[in-house]
């Protein structure tokens, strides 16, 4: 997303409402942006709700300045000045029948009050007229904002049955705003939490990403546990015995201390005392994370234990970690852990200060050197390069000649003649 300026955004969102009203339509800011403004937060983006139909919206703002983004739902993006970005204008609507537990089968255009009632939570169901500077509240959202409550609009069980993702949204909003979840809404989530798995892995992962990387991530995890949602989407953190409980609590403390973590780092912090890298990989697959994210999370979990004792690691074991792309996250994980880990991280940071030729000296031998030396390509290659590199880093060999002598020793010790250098010349 290009950089947008909150003031320009607000001006343009006001302008969109003015144009619609001048043309004789109703128009309001709607949903999350109204909630954020009333909370004193800067809205990420503005949504406008109107009784104008999509074709009328497009005619009014011009086809070149509009984009039908959710044609089926009647959502039109109106392009603003560069600094303002787009405003999404949606026709008041009612959602009809949710047979898949996630998406409405159809929508019908309707009135402002119906449009408020189809929304998920009372604090998300508010309208605001920026010209009259008036809130329009059909759902008791202002009162719940004051009481700091996440409350489903209408009957909670029915609303979660329609769209199960709302259960995760409730937890995310409660954590992000430090609101409580209203008791009947919370009871419905607890009872229906196991049904969250009908929601696509990608949408679940997206909610988890926002929760675990946000500032209120510990509260989010505690709410996931209390609401039974964790049992359905992340059973790895649902633990019973006191020792595991203690490790979970330590993990949560670590998670809370991370500074603006990436998703893989936050996930590693949450999991590293409870499961191994293999189990973390299974979480990555379950949520269809990219291989890069899953691998990073697993790498962090794998190396956390060793690097806690960085001072007693041979340089040949520590050095590859220090030059790995994930090192900043690994140090971040250490620094968010206990005192021993913080000291280990400090030690690593000192080593990282070394000049490049000390930190990561050019290898004495390359794969090409091995080929030129007559070694057959194969699994032994990697092993040889690894051995040579380790001995180089640990200062036991210093020249290419010494490296080749080591290659000879390793090959001679290797029982399998197929791996030996001399086998190349045999028929
Ligand atoms: P944020 O953008 O910070 O996640 P938001 O409330 O703006 O919060 P959006 O997903 O941008 O959330 O949705 C905008 C509005 O659309 C919401 O405020 C709510 O009124 C409505 N809405 C979004 N998702 C749902 C849903 N699953 N069920 C019912 N209403 C929803
Ligand atoms: Mg939004």
């Amino acid at each position: 997303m290009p950089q947008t300026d909150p003031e320009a955004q607000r001006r343009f969102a006001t302008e969109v409402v003015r144009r619609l009203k001048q043309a004789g339509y109703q128009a309001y800011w709607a949903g999350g942006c109204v909630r954020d403004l009333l909370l004193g937060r800067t809205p990420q983006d503005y949504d406008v709700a109107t009784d104008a139909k999509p074709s009328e919206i497009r005619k009014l703002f011009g086809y070149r300045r509009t984009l039908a983004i959710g044609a089926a739902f009647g959502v039109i993006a109106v392009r603003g000045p560069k600094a303002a970005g787009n405003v999404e204008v949606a026709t008041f609507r009612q959602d009809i029948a949710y047979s898949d537990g996630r998406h409405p089968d159809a929508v019908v255009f309707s009135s402002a009050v119906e449009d408020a009632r189809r929304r998920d939570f009372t604090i998300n169901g508010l309208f605001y007229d920026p010209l009259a500077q008036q809130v329009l509240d059909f759902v008791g959202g202002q009162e719940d904002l004051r009481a700091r409550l996440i409350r489903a609009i209408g009957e909670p069980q029915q609303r979660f049955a329609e769209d199960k993702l709302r259960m995760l949204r409730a937890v995310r909003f409660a954590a992000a705003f430090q609101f409580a979840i209203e008791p009947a809404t919370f009871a419905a989530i607890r009872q229906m939490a196991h049904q969250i798995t009908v929601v696509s892995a990608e949408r679940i992962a997206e909610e988890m990403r926002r929760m675990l990387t946000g500032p209120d991530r510990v509260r989010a995890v505690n709410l996931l546990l209390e609401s039974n949602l964790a049992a359905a989407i992340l059973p790895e953190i649902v633990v019973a015995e006191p020792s595991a409980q203690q490790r979970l609590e330590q993990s949560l403390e670590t998670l809370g201390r991370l500074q603006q973590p990436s998703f893989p780092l936050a996930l590693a912090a949450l999991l590293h005392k409870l499961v191994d890298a293999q189990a973390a990989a299974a979480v990555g697959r379950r949520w269809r994370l990219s291989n890069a994210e899953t691998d990073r999370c697993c790498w962090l979990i794998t190396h956390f234990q060793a690097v806690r004792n960085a001072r007693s690691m041979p340089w040949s074991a520590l050095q590859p970690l220090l030059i790995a792309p994930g090192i900043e996250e690994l140090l971040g994980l250490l620094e968010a852990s206990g005192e021993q880990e913080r000291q280990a991280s400090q030690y690593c940071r000192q080593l990282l200060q070394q000049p490049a030729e000390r930190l990561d000296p050019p290898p004495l031998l390359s794969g090409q050197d091995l080929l030129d030396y007559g070694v057959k390509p194969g699994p032994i290659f990697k092993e040889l390069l690894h051995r040579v590199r380790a001995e180089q880093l640990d200062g036991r060999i210093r020249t290419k000649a010494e490296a080749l002598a080591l290659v000879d020793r390793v090959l001679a010790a290797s029982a399998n003649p197929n791996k030996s250098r001399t086998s190349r010349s045999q028929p």
Side-chain angles (χ1 to χ4, degrees), residues 172-208:
R172 171 160 62 83
F173 292 128
F177 305 137
Q178 304 194 16
F179 279 22
I181 301 177
E182 175 274 325
T185 301
F186 196 59
I189 297 175
R190 280 181 58 92
Q191 195 187 327
M192 300 172 71
H194 61 281
Q195 299 178 33
I196 191 68
T197 47
V198 307
V199 175
S200 76
E202 288 83 356
R203 288 301 283 118
I204 290 176
E206 184 53 29
E207 291 293 323
M208 291 305 295

Side-chain angles (χ1 to χ4, degrees), residues 181-400:
I181 301 177
E182 175 274 325
T185 301
F186 196 59
I189 297 175
R190 280 181 58 92
Q191 195 187 327
M192 300 172 71
H194 61 281
Q195 299 178 33
I196 191 68
T197 47
V198 307
V199 175
S200 76
E202 288 83 356
R203 288 301 283 118
I204 290 176
E206 184 53 29
E207 291 293 323
M208 291 305 295
R209 175 187 303 276
R210 293 183 67 172
M211 284 192 255
L212 290 184
T213 59
D216 296 289
R217 51 195 103 97
V218 174
R219 193 173 143 74
V221 173
N222 280 319
L223 280 170
L224 287 171
L225 288 164
E226 291 164 23
S227 64
N228 294 337
L229 284 164
I233 59 182
L234 194 57
E236 289 79 3
I237 65 168
V238 181
V239 292
E241 341 88 78
S243 71
Q245 190 65 41
Q246 205 175 5
R247 279 181 280 122
L248 173 64
E249 271 156 33
Q250 291 167 355
S251 308
L252 288 179
E253 280 172 29
T254 300
L255 177 67
R257 281 193 289 257
L258 296 174
Q259 308 282 330
Q260 300 191 315
S262 67
F263 189 31
L265 172 55
L267 193 55
L270 180 57
L271 296 177
H272 75 296
K273 290 208 154 98
L274 300 171
V275 299
D276 61 13
Q278 221 180 340
V283 175
R285 281 194 299 276
R286 188 188 312 147
W287 292 347
R288 306 214 188 101
L289 305 187
S290 69
N291 288 340
E293 287 198 321
T294 301
D295 292 350
R296 179 59 54 84
C297 177
C298 294
W299 184 86
L300 291 168
I301 291 176
T302 301
H303 297 294
F304 174 78
Q305 282 308 328
V307 85
R308 291 175 70 220
N309 302 307
R311 275 177 200 280
S312 46
M313 283 172 82
W315 179 235
S316 59
L318 183 56
Q319 187 268 359
L321 301 182
L322 295 185
I323 63 163
I327 185 59
E328 263 310 314
E329 286 159 296
L330 188 56
L331 297 183
L333 183 57
L334 286 172
E335 283 155 16
S337 299
E339 185 50 36
Q340 177 193 345
E341 289 82 3
R342 271 190 289 281
Q343 287 184 14
S345 175
Q346 230 169 40
Y347 174 70
C348 291
R349 288 201 185 280
Q350 278 164 16
L351 292 170
L352 280 167
Q353 300 289 316
Q354 298 176 95
E357 64 273 18
R358 285 273 295 287
L359 180 62
D360 194 16
L364 292 175
L365 272 194
S366 67
Q368 188 58 50
D369 290 329
L370 282 184
L371 284 176
D372 293 347
Y373 197 55
V375 181
K376 262 173 112 177
I380 190 80
F381 241 66
K382 215 176 137 193
E383 193 185 316
L384 286 169
L385 290 174
H386 181 80
R387 276 290 295 277
V388 168
R389 182 64 171 164
E391 304 272 301
Q392 176 192 2
L393 288 172
D394 288 337
R396 283 192 287 270
I397 57 175
R398 287 165 207 286
T399 64
K400 188 167 174 177

Side-chain angles (χ1 to χ4, degrees), residues 31-33 35 47 102 118-120 124-125 159 163 166 169 172-173 210:
C33 63
R35 174 203 66 212
D47 295 321
R102 173 67 190 104
R118 72 160 173 94
R119 294 170 185 270
D120 47 6
N124 288 349
R159 301 311 311 285
D163 177 358
R166 290 172 186 156
R169 284 173 57 90
R172 171 160 62 83
F173 292 128
R210 293 183 67 172

Side-chain angles (χ1 to χ4, degrees), residues 55-133:
S55 60
E56 296 169 331
I57 300 167
R58 296 203 70 178
K59 206 188 254 162
L60 182 62
F61 291 98
Y63 280 79
R64 295 211 341 269
R65 294 190 49 206
T66 55
L67 205 70
I69 48 173
F73 297 136
V75 183
I76 304 292
V78 181
R79 295 221 311 260
K82 220 185 199 126
N86 293 349
V87 166
E88 289 185 11
V89 182
T91 309
F92 294 141
R93 69 177 203 244
Q94 222 174 321
D95 298 332
I96 306 293
Y98 288 71
S99 49
D100 68 352
R102 173 67 190 104
H103 307 96
D105 299 338
V107 305
V108 292
F109 297 136
S110 70
S111 63
V113 60
E114 295 295 346
D115 189 71
R117 289 194 185 129
R118 72 160 173 94
R119 294 170 185 270
D120 47 6
F121 304 107
T122 58
I123 63 164
N124 288 349
L126 294 165
F127 296 125
Y128 183 74
D129 178 338
L131 306 178
Q133 302 190 11

Side-chain angles (χ1 to χ4, degrees), residues 404-422:
L404 291 173
L406 172 63
V407 166
D408 283 336
R409 287 200 302 281
V410 174
L411 288 177
S414 141
N416 184 347
N418 289 329
K419 285 184 182 172
S420 76
R421 171 174 171 241
T422 46

